[in-house]
Amino acid sequence: MQNEIISLKNDEKLLVGLSWENFSNGEEIDFDLLAIMLDKNEKFLNKADLIFYNNLFSRTGALFHTGDNKTGNSEADDEAILVNLASIPSSIRHIKFAILNQSQKKNCGKVSFRIAKISDIFDTKGENICSYSFDDSNFYLMYIFEIEKNENNFIINIKLKNFLNVMLQ
């Protein structure tokens, strides 16, 4: 699935869900889902364009984070970001999604993310268009994919990459 490209329509709504399964014998494991909105030169324009547990809404409401989960024990997605492509400002061309490992532990759990088409913000299941799981949680910040806007449509570009290549202690 890595390096896969998926085309989207301009009016689609998406749910990006993050889940994790704890392997650390009862100790809490905390992963965070985040998104950053960038312009055509991949420059950061406004601090409100970083969407995470402490900034739940983008400035136009195009992205909405459902809130922080510190345990990974939810029935469905532990954290999610809802995306309304029709509300993405024309100045934004890239939305990069990443997973932050807050646990300070390595190899502590199974991590999964999925991208689903949804009908509205209350549609938490949606129609999965891709999902990916990995057991190696030995990362600090993992870039998982990007939504890129060109003149006519949006594409999703899946590219798993350990952003900072930092070994946790």
Side-chain angles (χ1 to χ4, degrees), residues 100-141:
L100 178 64
N101 183 346
Q102 297 272 35
S103 67
Q104 302 299 311
K105 298 182 188 319
K106 49 186 173 176
N107 301 321
C108 53
K110 179 178 183 178
V111 182
S112 303
F113 73 88
R114 71 184 181 106
I115 306 167
K117 292 182 183 179
I118 58 176
S119 56
D120 58 47
I121 62 168
F122 302 106
D123 182 4
T124 58
K125 295 193 186 290
E127 171 193 342
N128 278 2
I129 53 177
C130 73
S131 60
Y132 191 76
S133 296
F134 52 96
D135 287 337
D136 182 10
S137 52
N138 190 16
F139 63 89
Y140 179 68
L141 183 65

Side-chain angles (χ1 to χ4, degrees), residues 5-167:
I5 295 177
I6 302 164
S7 294
L8 300 168
K9 296 177 185 167
N10 290 339
D11 62 349
E12 294 198 82
K13 295 174 182 68
L14 304 174
L15 178 141
V16 178
L18 171 65
S19 301
W20 62 93
E21 183 180 334
N22 189 342
F23 292 166
S24 68
N25 300 324
E27 292 181 46
E28 285 189 2
I29 303 299
D30 185 13
F31 292 99
D32 292 312
L33 180 63
L34 58 96
I36 185 168
M37 301 171 75
L38 305 168
D39 72 3
K40 66 181 179 180
N41 299 315
E42 297 194 41
K43 298 223 186 261
F44 185 60
L45 300 176
N46 188 304
K47 67 180 181 178
D49 290 336
L50 175 62
I51 292 63
F52 66 113
Y53 64 87
N54 209 22
N55 183 40
L56 299 178
F57 299 93
S58 63
R59 37 186 175 125
T60 63
L63 274 67
F64 169 69
H65 194 294
T66 59
D68 195 16
N69 180 321
K70 296 182 183 218
T71 63
N73 62 0
S74 297
E75 292 289 320
D77 299 310
D78 295 311
E79 292 194 12
I81 295 177
L82 305 173
V83 181
N84 182 351
L85 295 178
S87 297
I88 303 291
S90 59
S91 61
I92 299 298
R93 292 296 182 99
H94 304 271
I95 306 169
K96 297 184 184 263
F97 290 82
I99 303 168
L100 178 64
N101 183 346
Q102 297 272 35
S103 67
Q104 302 299 311
K105 298 182 188 319
K106 49 186 173 176
N107 301 321
C108 53
K110 179 178 183 178
V111 182
S112 303
F113 73 88
R114 71 184 181 106
I115 306 167
K117 292 182 183 179
I118 58 176
S119 56
D120 58 47
I121 62 168
F122 302 106
D123 182 4
T124 58
K125 295 193 186 290
E127 171 193 342
N128 278 2
I129 53 177
C130 73
S131 60
Y132 191 76
S133 296
F134 52 96
D135 287 337
D136 182 10
S137 52
N138 190 16
F139 63 89
Y140 179 68
L141 183 65
M142 175 76 71
Y143 164 53
I144 51 178
F145 74 94
E146 128 177 64
I147 296 175
E148 184 178 347
K149 181 180 180 181
N150 60 32
E151 299 305 317
N152 300 318
N153 62 3
F154 291 88
I155 61 168
I156 293 175
N157 188 1
I158 308 291
K159 267 195 170 167
L160 300 174
K161 182 179 179 185
N162 189 338
F163 231 12
L164 300 178
N165 199 16
V166 174
M167 297 294 285

